[in-house]
Amino acid sequence: MSTDNKTDEQDVNTTYAADNEQIAENEEDAVAQDSQADASEEAGELEKARVQAEENYQRLLRVQADFDNFRRRARAEKEDFAKYASVKLIEQLLPIVDNFDRALTSSKETKDFDALAKGLDMTYRGMYQVLTTEGLKPIEAVGQPFNPEFHQAVMQVESDEHEEGIVVEELQKGYILKDKVIRPAMVKVSV
């Protein structure tokens, strides 16, 4: 019986070994299938990432092109604005130029200097009104303390009626456009 036991044992061992080999092969197949599944899943994710990257790249190119177009349009609009910024003022000054032309023509024909002076006065007031409408204001100087931001002192004079540093005479009128001094008043200042 010992040989039969040995044979039975060998058969059992062979069966176990075959079963173990089968199990090992099945496990290897499962691992290989999992690896293939993982690899195909990673390849799918990689392809999705490539597609997303390409979409983002194309979007970036479109945004850059849109920005370049915007920048060109803005530059062109700015140049046009600077080129034609004074159109409104010029349109308002044209009737005044016409009045000067009529006054000069009329004075040559009639030699009436009183009418010429009256016409020039009316034309001056019209022009001053246009400039005031645009925000131009004269700088008040005479009797004011000297301020280098608004006044340009060209002379100093002794004065009994004014304290030191007071503007006593205005030689040329100064102007402010909105909030900016465009020409300081040329003045004489007391010492």
Side-chain angles (χ1 to χ4, degrees), residues 139-141 145-153 167 170 172-176 179-187:
I139 294 174
E140 297 298 324
F146 176 75
N147 183 343
E149 292 180 17
F150 299 108
H151 307 125
Q152 177 183 359
V167 175
E170 183 177 58
Q172 185 179 45
K173 199 165 244 335
Y175 292 97
I176 297 174
D179 295 329
K180 183 179 179 183
V181 174
I182 60 171
R183 184 174 82 184
M186 197 178 297
V187 297

Side-chain angles (χ1 to χ4, degrees), residues 15 29 38 68 72 92 137-138 152 166 174 181 184 191:
T15 306
D29 286 345
D38 288 345
D68 287 343
R72 274 193 288 274
Q92 292 175 343
K137 294 183 279 187
Q152 177 183 359
I166 301 295
V181 174
V191 223

Side-chain angles (χ1 to χ4, degrees), residues 4 12 16-17 36 41 46 48 86 99 106 114 128 130 137 139 141 161 166 168:
D4 281 338
V12 168
Y16 282 142
Q36 287 177 349
E41 189 176 304
L46 182 61
K48 286 179 187 177
S86 59
N99 288 342
S106 175
D114 289 334
Y128 192 78
V130 167
K137 294 183 279 187
I139 294 174
E161 47 187 86
I166 301 295
V168 294

Side-chain angles (χ1 to χ4, degrees), residues 7-185:
T7 309
D8 285 340
E9 251 181 61
Q10 285 177 348
D11 285 343
V12 168
N13 285 340
T14 306
T15 306
Y16 282 142
D19 286 345
N20 285 340
E21 282 180 24
Q22 185 65 36
I23 291 172
E25 284 178 17
N26 286 344
E27 285 178 359
E28 286 177 8
D29 286 345
V31 167
Q33 286 176 352
D34 285 346
S35 296
Q36 287 177 349
D38 288 345
S40 67
E41 189 176 304
E42 287 176 6
E45 287 177 14
L46 182 61
E47 187 57 33
K48 286 179 187 177
R50 279 192 192 122
V51 168
Q52 182 68 34
E54 181 62 27
E55 288 174 5
N56 290 339
Y57 180 69
Q58 292 301 321
R59 190 175 307 134
L60 171 71
L61 291 178
R62 284 191 299 274
V63 168
Q64 282 179 329
D66 288 345
F67 182 70
D68 287 343
N69 290 338
F70 168 76
R71 192 173 27 202
R72 274 193 288 274
R73 269 193 318 273
R75 187 180 323 121
E77 287 173 3
K78 185 177 178 182
E79 288 171 359
D80 279 352
F81 178 76
K83 188 175 180 180
Y84 298 110
S86 59
V87 167
K88 179 182 169 194
L89 179 62
I90 297 298
E91 287 174 346
Q92 292 175 343
L93 290 175
L94 284 176
I96 295 167
V97 171
D98 293 339
N99 288 342
F100 273 123
D101 188 39
R102 282 191 284 271
L104 291 172
T105 303
S106 175
S107 68
K108 287 178 186 175
E109 294 173 2
T110 63
K111 305 285 187 206
D112 184 2
F113 294 111
D114 289 334
L116 175 63
K118 184 178 178 185
L120 287 176
D121 182 55
M122 289 172 43
T123 304
Y124 170 78
R125 281 188 273 132
M127 184 163 66
Y128 192 78
Q129 181 182 4
V130 167
L131 295 174
T132 302
T133 303
E134 288 298 312
L136 187 73
K137 294 183 279 187
I139 294 174
E140 297 298 324
V142 176
Q144 301 292 320
F146 176 75
N147 183 343
E149 292 180 17
F150 299 108
H151 307 125
Q152 177 183 359
V154 292
M155 291 180 69
Q156 290 184 334
V157 294
E158 291 186 20
S159 174
D160 294 333
E161 47 187 86
H162 296 289
E163 295 177 17
E164 184 177 332
I166 301 295
V167 175
V168 294
E169 186 179 343
E170 183 177 58
L171 302 174
Q172 185 179 45
K173 199 165 244 335
Y175 292 97
I176 297 174
L177 181 62
K178 297 184 174 140
D179 295 329
K180 183 179 179 183
V181 174
I182 60 171
R183 184 174 82 184

